[in-house]
Amino acid sequence: MSKGARGVPEAIGSPRAVTTAMTATALTPTRTSAQNCQVSLIDSPLSEPVMRLLGCSRWRVERTPDVDAAVQQIERGLVPVVMCDTGDWRTVADAAQRSPHPPGLVVLTASPNDREWLEVLGAGAHYLPVSKLDAARLFSLLNLLWRGWRKA
């Protein structure tokens, strides 16, 4: 049971306790699933803000030096989520589509535009502007992709 601001135990169903539990659940995978969660993050200047957020979570992040290394991971079927920038995403999306167990793909962008957004969505990937990046949005997307990968 958590304690409130004055050190008094809060009821399990209290609004504060429920909000705290919901926030913790949305930000990180469950304890039993955390050991299997992995994000492959292709190094680029756009990966730094994402890395700062992921570094404070239970998500296991593997920094991938380049697109070729990420494609090798995808081909082995070992990665639930791959994150890359707009320069690399088509190669990664092609590899994901060929994979029998495709990962979720998140395309990071510094300057979002509608044409690119539609192209990324049309390929089945997710478009994430780094300028509007916040922890809740990032972790919600990662949890969604990870659950979809596990069910596949």
Side-chain angles (χ1 to χ4, degrees):
M1 200 179 295
S2 65
K3 295 193 177 204
R6 297 181 188 177
V8 177
E10 294 178 336
I12 290 174
S14 72
R16 179 173 160 80
V18 169
T19 302
T20 302
M22 287 173 58
T23 302
T25 301
L27 294 181
T28 58
T30 63
R31 185 176 299 245
T32 57
S33 65
Q35 62 191 358
N36 299 322
C37 293
Q38 182 178 348
V39 175
S40 178
L41 182 62
I42 299 173
D43 275 333
S44 77
L46 294 179
S47 64
E48 291 308 314
V50 174
M51 192 62 202
R52 280 193 296 274
L53 289 174
L54 291 175
C56 299
S57 72
R58 292 183 184 157
W59 286 89
R60 191 167 46 109
V61 180
E62 184 173 324
R63 294 186 82 149
T64 309
D66 55 32
V67 176
D68 294 334
V71 168
Q72 288 175 0
Q73 288 179 333
I74 292 168
E75 289 171 349
R76 290 191 311 252
L78 301 175
V79 182
V81 180
V82 177
M83 300 181 89
C84 62
D85 65 26
T86 53
D88 302 326
W89 79 270
R90 286 177 190 86
T91 304
V92 176
D94 289 343
Q97 289 175 352
R98 290 190 310 268
S99 173
H101 203 62
L105 176 58
V106 179
V107 178
L108 305 171
T109 183
S111 53
N113 68 62
D114 291 342
R115 194 176 118 252
E116 188 174 64
W117 175 70
L118 288 172
E119 189 177 354
V120 168
L121 292 179
H126 297 267
Y127 195 68
L128 191 61
V130 176
S131 60
K132 299 177 182 179
L133 188 64
D134 65 75
R137 184 175 180 191
L138 175 64
F139 292 123
S140 176
L141 176 59
L142 292 177
N143 281 320
L144 173 76
L145 293 173
W146 186 79
R147 276 186 252 127
W149 184 80
R150 283 201 51 190
K151 289 180 182 178

